[in-house]
Structure formats: structure tokens, C-alpha cells
Amino acid sequence: MTVRFTWRGPEFEQQFQPVLNGALTKAAAAGADGAAREIKARPANPGQDIGAGQGRVSRPGESPTTQLGILRQSVTSTEAEGLRAGIGSGLKYARWLELGTSKMAARPWLLRGVMKSRRKMGRIFTRQAVKGFKRINLSGGG
Amino acid sequence: MAAPANWRLGLWAAILARAKTDTGTAGIFEASGVNEVTGFFNVWLTTDQLFPAVVFEVSLASDIDAFTAKVLDIEIRFHVFTKMVPTDGDTDGGTLLAGIVDRINGDWITQATRIPSYGFDRFSPTIAGWNTDLMAHTDSIENHEQENGILHQIESFDMVISKQGA
């Protein structure tokens, strides 16, 4: 008996690449959600109403707290391309909070939020990738 | 006496003690040396701090517990600050920044034993009550502050620790 194998690597890659990019895009969105959740609402100071600009501000090293919620709303992710997706914010002070400056201690939110979401991101990525993998149809395959 | 469960205090103390031993030639605590820092702080700088200065912090601690042991994956960041244009006749800011960053990273690669004689890459801090791994350098981030005239570089290290007897 003769068994004949036909290697369709490039064709497989062509079909699987968008699947992985799609899965990564969804995983990145979950990571962005986790990062946004890391920016907490300000707890009220005793005897004070909570509102814009009020409440207890974050301490050095803690995750930042919201003032107007602008940072939290700005957290976003990019669509994956070439198996790379981004999570972050376009605001200048988002970087200052994450990394700190000479005048202000860091209040990391991005890496912490993403790290806390990494299991969820992994689950989403795997589920989406498996689903897409099953739909791959190579020419002449069977 | 029972070992303290608070790894953070032990780690802070170990890092500070390690930094203060860097008193050799070009060390960050060499008196009047080329890379001497004016301050080495935990978490944030004091107001009106003179530069160059270093701040270190635990930026992330993730639980990666084993079935029967408490295990943490810790990220430690060192922030190195120098003035872009020194006003006191010191080395220029960029050279000084690079010199201090080199001291923070250490000399493990030049050591036959791969144990650094100074710096933190491959350094193993002692923390009472905890088993500690080597600190491993993970990345460098340039975060310069043009508007303040400050050069700011961040060196990140990763380390795994586990609770003894847990």
C-alpha cells in the first residue's frame, strides 16, 4: 500500500493567519477591558459626597483612580495584524501614570490590568483559534 | 521567631542594602565618583530632589501559587533620573544616565561565576521566610521628560519567590 502526502503548508498558513489575527484581536479587547477596570472609581472620603474631582486619590504605587473617567474611557486595543495587537491609551498622562515621572510616582494600570486578564485572554484566544481552525478547508483535502 | 510573611519589606531592604554596597570605582555610592547618585529611594522621589537619583518599586506581583506553596512572580522597576544638561560641571546627562544604568544592571556577564559583583541582574536577594530566585533583567524603557529637562530610564527585573514551609 502506498500512502501519499501532499504538503499544503502555505495554503494552510494563508487561511490560519487571519484566524489567529481574529483570535488575537478578541483577546486584546479582553485585555483592554481588564486594563480599563484596573482604573478604579475613587472611594469616597468620610462625610463627603462622591463626584467629579472628589474622593480619595490613589497613593503612589497603587492603581490610579478616576477623576472624570477620561483615562478609563480612552483605553482601547488595536486590531491584530501580523500576529501583533496593541492595548493602551492615546493620552499622554496614561504613560505618566503607568511609568511614573520625576515629579510623580508610578500608578501602574496597564500591565497590571492586562496581567490580571491574561487567563481570560488565553481562553478567548484558544476558543477563537480552535473554532477557526475547524473551518479551514484545504483544496483537495478530505 | 517565626519568619515574617511580608516579603515586600524584606525585598525593599535587600535592594537598598545591595545598592549601598556599590562603593567601588564608578559605583553609584562611590563618594565623589563619576556615577554617584544623590538619592536612592523606594517608590517615589522626595520633593525638590537633586539628580542623579534612583527610585525602585515593585510594579507588579502576580500569584502563581503551586498546590501547596505560596509563589509570587514579582516585577521590580528601577527608575534612573539625571538632568539633561547638568549645571554643576558634572558629566553630561546622557553619559551619566548610561553609567548609572550599567551599575544597576551589574556585571554578571563578565564574571566567570556569573554572580555579579555589583548590580541587580542575576542577583539573589535574601528575604527572611522566603525562597528567592535570581533577579533577571527583562527590559529597558526610555521615558525622558523633555519639559522637565530630565532623562528618565526604567530598568525592569523579574523574580520568583516562594514561601518557606508553606
Side-chain angles (χ1 to χ4, degrees):
Chain A
M1 190 180 85
T2 309
V3 178
R4 193 167 144 230
F5 288 100
T6 307
W7 176 246
R8 298 188 195 280
E11 194 184 343
F12 174 81
E13 219 169 83
Q14 202 182 7
Q15 289 190 40
F16 200 38
Q17 182 98 352
V19 168
L20 292 179
N21 277 330
L24 193 56
T25 299
K26 288 197 166 66
D33 182 57
R37 283 168 196 270
E38 190 61 25
I39 304 159
K40 308 280 193 320
R42 283 190 183 183
N45 279 323
Q48 204 185 60
D49 289 337
I50 193 80
Q54 291 181 322
R56 187 178 74 72
V57 297
S58 56
R59 297 192 180 100
E62 288 180 353
S63 301
T65 51
T66 55
Q67 192 164 6
L68 299 171
I70 295 169
L71 173 63
R72 191 152 62 179
Q73 284 171 27
S74 75
V75 181
T76 186
S77 60
T78 63
E79 197 158 317
E81 211 176 302
L83 301 182
R84 289 170 77 96
I87 300 173
S89 160
L91 297 176
K92 207 172 178 183
Y93 68 89
R95 185 183 171 98
W96 296 343
L97 287 166
E98 177 70 16
L99 300 174
T101 71
S102 60
K103 300 196 180 299
M104 184 195 78
R107 285 155 171 85
W109 57 275
L110 179 60
L111 185 59
R112 270 185 200 163
V114 171
M115 288 300 280
K116 283 182 186 170
S117 310
R118 65 191 190 282
R119 286 196 183 95
K120 187 178 175 190
M121 292 168 72
R123 277 198 306 274
I124 290 172
F125 179 85
T126 309
R127 199 165 54 227
Q128 293 296 323
V130 168
K131 213 193 283 180
F133 180 80
K134 286 176 180 165
R135 281 202 295 264
I136 286 178
N137 185 19
L138 301 177
S139 56
Chain B
M1 191 179 79
N6 193 328
W7 56 269
R8 203 177 291 265
L9 295 175
L11 178 62
W12 286 345
I15 288 174
L16 188 59
R18 171 69 170 176
K20 284 188 168 175
T21 62
D22 190 15
T23 55
T25 306
I28 59 172
F29 279 94
E30 182 199 11
S32 305
V34 288
N35 294 323
E36 188 190 14
V37 295
T38 52
F40 192 92
F41 300 93
N42 184 8
V43 185
W44 73 91
L45 292 166
T46 57
T47 312
D48 300 327
Q49 172 61 39
L50 296 173
F51 297 109
V54 176
V55 172
F56 69 96
E57 52 161 345
V58 173
S59 50
L60 187 73
S62 306
D63 282 309
I64 49 169
D65 293 346
F67 279 117
T68 57
K70 177 79 180 160
V71 185
L72 289 162
D73 187 358
I74 298 169
E75 187 192 64
I76 302 141
R77 294 197 302 205
F78 292 81
H79 300 252
V80 180
F81 298 100
T82 65
K83 282 190 282 190
M84 283 181 183
V85 183
T87 52
D88 49 9
D90 271 353
T91 320
D92 75 88
T95 305
L96 187 55
L97 181 85
I100 297 170
V101 166
D102 276 353
R103 300 304 292 194
I104 295 293
N105 286 330
D107 65 346
W108 72 274
I109 196 70
T110 64
Q111 300 294 317
T113 57
R114 299 296 187 235
I115 298 169
S117 67
Y118 62 84
F120 293 93
D121 200 3
R122 307 296 194 274
F123 166 65
S124 182
T126 302
I127 306 174
W130 292 80
N131 300 309
T132 56
D133 190 11
L134 300 177
M135 288 172 65
H137 185 260
T138 51
D139 51 57
S140 305
I141 303 170
E142 293 192 27
N143 193 36
H144 307 313
E145 299 163 33
Q146 185 79 38
E147 57 275 31
N148 296 328
I150 301 292
L151 294 173
H152 177 188
Q153 184 154 330
I154 304 165
E155 299 298 307
S156 303
F157 295 81
D158 193 67
M159 183 177 64
V160 174
I161 64 170
S162 60
K163 184 88 178 73
Q164 286 172 357

